């Protein structure tokens, strides 16, 4: 590691982050790039490849495939209104929906004894420690953006089958500053589609390919919109853990 790539976090935080985040995303160069992205004149998605340490990404991919409680989900997303949500058979028959996918209705139930095999449950527990129960991931975001983020977060486990996607929407909620997506489908190929789309207030459009073990961070702003293009892989794929990040005190 060169002098210009030294860790910028306090030693204790860096040691904690190194359990989860690949070394190249913990360097001074990496944090400078995040800082430049966040302070750019116009918003855009941050997309980082090979973000998690490889063994954690592989374990999470296997755990998501093993989840027994995936359920069909669709919703009608309209600006300034709570989404209309549909589950199960109704999700595939509801008219006019703007989002279709598979979701896990109760994430906490996955940690009940016997729901998942021990290695899969442990992988999800490790991810929860990384992103929710500790400040490790929030401190990584803080180092790059300067924002102090609220400990409580919203999280979704999502997967897609052929033609599933999300219509354009904004996720405008009090205090919400980022939407974060961890892409964890180890069989995903670019020809499967399902790209994340993002349009900023200047009218610029960006597209993120949800490659395995990459993460996207998108700014939530009043003049920005995002969506997911239709997925076209065989079977179910594009396994994603999505999180919302809010400002502390909001």
């Amino acid at each position: 590691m060169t002098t210009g790539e030294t860790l910028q976090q306090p030693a204790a935080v860096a040691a904690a982050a190194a359990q989860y985040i690949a070394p190249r995303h913990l360097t001074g160069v990496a944090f400078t790039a995040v800082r430049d992205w966040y302070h750019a004149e116009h918003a855009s998605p941050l997309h980082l490849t090979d973000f998690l340490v490889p063994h954690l990404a592989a374990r999470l991919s296997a755990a998501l495939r093993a989840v027994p409680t995936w359920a069909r989900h669709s919703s009608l997303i309209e600006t300034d209104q709570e989404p209309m949500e549909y589950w199960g058979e109704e999700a595939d028959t509801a008219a006019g929906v703007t989002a279709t996918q598979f979701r896990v209705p109760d994430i906490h139930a996955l940690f009940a004894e016997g729901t998942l095999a021990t290695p899969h449950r442990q992988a999800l527990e490790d991810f929860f420690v990384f992103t929710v129960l500790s400040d490790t991931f929030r401190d990584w975001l803080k180092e790059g953006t300067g924002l102090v983020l609220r400990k409580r977060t919203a999280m979704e486990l999502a997967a897609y089958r052929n033609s599933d996607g999300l219509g354009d929407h904004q996720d405008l909620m009090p205090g919400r500053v980022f939407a974060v997506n961890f892409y964890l489908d180890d069989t995903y190929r670019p020809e499967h589609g399902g790209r994340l789309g993002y349009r900023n207030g200047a009218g610029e459009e960006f597209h993120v390919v949800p490659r395995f073990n990459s993460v996207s961070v998108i700014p939530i702003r009043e003049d920005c919109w995002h969506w997911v293009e239709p997925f076209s892989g065989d079977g179910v794929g594009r396994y994603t853990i999505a999180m919302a990040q809010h400002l502390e005190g909001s």
Side-chain angles (χ1 to χ4, degrees):
M1 184 178 296
T2 66
T3 302
E5 293 178 328
T6 54
L7 292 172
Q8 296 296 301
Q9 294 176 310
V13 176
Q19 300 178 58
Y20 309 104
I21 300 175
R24 70 188 184 96
H25 297 297
L26 293 172
T27 66
V29 170
F31 286 122
T32 297
V34 174
R35 195 171 298 115
D36 290 345
W37 158 77
Y38 179 68
H39 291 288
E41 180 179 1
H42 301 298
S44 66
L46 176 68
H47 187 217
L48 302 175
T49 58
D50 300 316
F51 183 72
L52 300 174
V53 292
H55 71 276
L56 176 57
R59 292 168 59 219
L60 286 167
S61 180
L64 292 176
R65 291 184 182 280
V67 167
T69 55
W70 288 108
R72 288 298 290 166
H73 175 268
S74 66
S75 58
L76 173 59
I77 303 172
E78 297 181 302
T79 304
D80 298 328
Q81 295 185 33
E82 288 294 322
M84 293 286 294
E85 297 193 85
Y86 307 92
W87 291 92
E89 293 183 3
E90 191 179 17
D92 283 326
T93 59
V97 296
T98 54
T100 55
Q101 57 187 180
F102 287 93
R103 291 254 297 269
V104 175
D106 184 355
I107 296 175
H108 293 92
L110 297 177
F111 301 103
E113 191 68 31
T115 301
L116 283 170
T118 300
H120 298 321
R121 186 178 70 247
Q122 185 62 58
L124 292 176
E125 287 177 352
D126 290 347
F127 184 82
F128 264 64
V129 170
F130 166 48
T131 57
V132 179
L133 300 180
S134 76
D135 290 322
T136 306
F137 182 62
R138 288 185 291 272
D139 283 347
W140 181 88
L141 283 171
K142 178 183 176 183
E143 184 65 33
T145 66
L147 300 181
V148 179
L149 300 171
R150 194 168 72 190
K151 295 180 183 296
R152 185 166 55 85
T153 185
M155 180 181 288
E156 297 175 357
L157 306 188
Y160 296 72
R161 71 181 182 193
N162 189 53
S163 79
D164 282 351
L166 301 179
D168 56 345
H169 59 289
Q170 293 179 289
D171 282 351
L172 294 177
M173 296 184 184
R176 183 169 294 187
V177 288
F178 299 125
V180 181
N181 299 283
F182 292 87
Y183 303 115
L184 295 162
D185 180 358
D186 59 2
T187 67
Y188 176 83
R189 300 292 179 269
E191 57 266 27
H192 295 161
R195 297 186 305 175
L196 170 71
Y198 187 87
R199 183 174 61 255
N200 65 23
E204 300 170 316
E205 284 199 5
F206 304 86
H207 298 92
V208 172
V209 178
R211 299 180 185 275
F212 171 61
N213 194 18
S214 66
V215 63
S216 66
V217 184
I218 60 174
I220 303 300
R221 299 180 183 175
E222 290 186 359
D223 59 352
C224 296
W225 296 76
H226 59 279
W227 60 93
V228 173
E229 297 175 340
F231 179 75
S232 60
D234 295 330
V236 178
R238 201 189 184 279
Y239 290 93
T240 307
I241 301 179
M243 302 174 58
Q245 297 290 343
H246 297 79
L247 286 176
E248 181 65 72
S250 63

